[in-house]
Amino acid sequence: MVNNDQETWGTQAVCRTADSDELFAVGAAQNRAKAICTGCPVRTECLAHALDQRIEHGVWGGMTERERRALLRRRPTVTSWRRLLETARAEHGRQATDPGELSEGSSVAG
């Protein structure tokens, strides 16, 4: 099921014209699929969607299903991956524009 949100960011995805077989590859071919995600302007939204919807197959946001399962196991209390990833992206942008705001050793990841 495609919701309106995915329709919005999906139109900007680098992979929108890729062969779907490339994105749902197995084994070493997944690295080629992950390379498609490099530099994609909606990589965060894509990954958040896959994590929030618990999508089990394919490369989404530069992560394989195995990588996403491991992340979900490490962070079982996250209720909204979209909110978490957008907050981290905003914090990263703030840090990049104002490095004096953070103390040494600060980290967005938790």
Side-chain angles (χ1 to χ4, degrees):
M1 179 175 166
V2 176
N3 61 30
N4 289 336
D5 180 55
Q6 185 183 2
E7 290 174 2
T8 301
W9 61 258
T11 62
Q12 300 170 40
V14 170
C15 66
R16 71 186 174 284
T17 58
D19 180 357
S20 62
D21 289 341
E22 290 179 55
L23 302 173
F24 292 89
V26 295
Q30 289 179 325
N31 289 329
R32 288 190 297 276
K34 288 170 65 169
I36 293 172
C37 301
T38 303
C40 181
V42 294
R43 184 175 179 174
T44 300
E45 292 84 348
C46 180
L47 177 58
H49 173 76
L51 292 166
D52 283 336
Q53 300 301 315
R54 303 300 195 263
I55 297 175
E56 295 184 14
H57 302 288
V59 171
W60 291 78
M63 292 184 82
T64 66
E65 58 268 17
R66 185 177 185 177
E67 293 166 332
R68 291 191 310 275
R69 279 194 305 269
L71 182 56
L72 289 167
R73 280 192 305 272
R74 284 193 310 269
R75 303 288 300 271
T77 61
V78 174
T79 57
S80 173
W81 284 94
R82 180 174 180 157
R83 186 170 40 247
L84 180 106
L85 293 174
E86 286 177 349
T87 300
R89 180 173 53 189
E91 179 68 15
H92 178 74
R94 185 181 65 76
Q95 290 173 20
T97 59
D98 192 1
E101 292 275 325
L102 289 179
S103 62
E104 190 173 321
S106 295
S107 174
V108 174

